[in-house]
Amino acid sequence: MNRRGFMLLEILLATTAAVLVAIAGFALLDRVRSRVVQATERVEMSDLACSALAMMEAGLVSPENMHGSLHRGVISLEDVEAGVMVRDPKYRLDVESAPSAWPGLVQVDVSVLKPEGDDVLYRAEHDGGLGPQPQARAGGGAL
């Protein structure tokens, strides 16, 4: 009878240890997953801000055109699997430009925000030229 009690106790202890190790493993995996999601979002915001700066530097858009623009992303993977692409606004750009301390250059600050809030999620700054800007004609209009 005494041997059966020890065997039952050993099984309970081994099961408890295995459950604790599994819980710790799942908690670790959850933390790793959340950090990967955060890093992916940060890379996406950085790419968005740097792309906006590159387009302004190339003269494709002006800072005024980019200010307040909404950028969309796929929000729900279930809808994607069902064949329906749901694209809601994911980020909003806040672009500020000011003359730089160096002649001929412009300081441009691009902030990435959530569409509904004013919390800055990512910020990129650039001191440089903004590409070819429309020149004023003698008649007063732009080219």
Side-chain angles (χ1 to χ4, degrees):
M1 187 74 165
N2 198 8
R3 177 73 181 140
R4 286 187 201 177
F6 283 123
M7 183 179 266
L8 180 61
L9 184 61
E10 288 174 349
I11 291 172
L12 285 173
L13 287 175
T15 304
T16 303
V19 167
L20 290 176
V21 167
I23 289 172
F26 283 124
L28 178 64
L29 286 176
D30 187 51
R31 271 190 283 164
V32 167
R33 183 199 55 78
S34 68
R35 294 228 173 123
V36 166
V37 167
Q38 287 175 346
T40 302
E41 288 177 350
R42 185 146 176 92
V43 166
E44 188 177 350
M45 290 182 284
S46 170
D47 184 45
L48 180 61
C50 290
S51 296
L53 285 171
M55 288 190 320
M56 285 182 262
E57 191 171 15
L60 299 174
V61 295
S62 68
E64 294 80 21
N65 290 345
M66 293 298 292
H67 181 73
S69 61
L70 294 175
H71 297 273
R72 303 183 182 283
V74 177
I75 303 297
S76 172
L77 291 179
E78 291 83 21
D79 293 331
V80 171
E81 291 171 0
V84 178
M85 294 288 283
V86 177
R87 295 178 62 91
D88 293 327
K90 192 169 182 181
Y91 301 113
R92 177 173 52 92
L93 290 182
D94 183 24
V95 181
E96 297 175 6
S97 61
S100 178
W102 296 278
L105 298 181
V106 177
Q107 178 180 353
V108 179
D109 298 329
V110 177
S111 300
V112 179
L113 304 96
K114 287 285 184 185
E116 66 278 350
D118 288 333
D119 295 334
V120 175
L121 303 173
Y122 186 84
R123 176 171 295 199
E125 300 173 353
H126 178 68
D127 279 329
L130 287 181
Q133 300 297 313
Q135 301 293 323
R137 285 194 236 164
L143 288 177

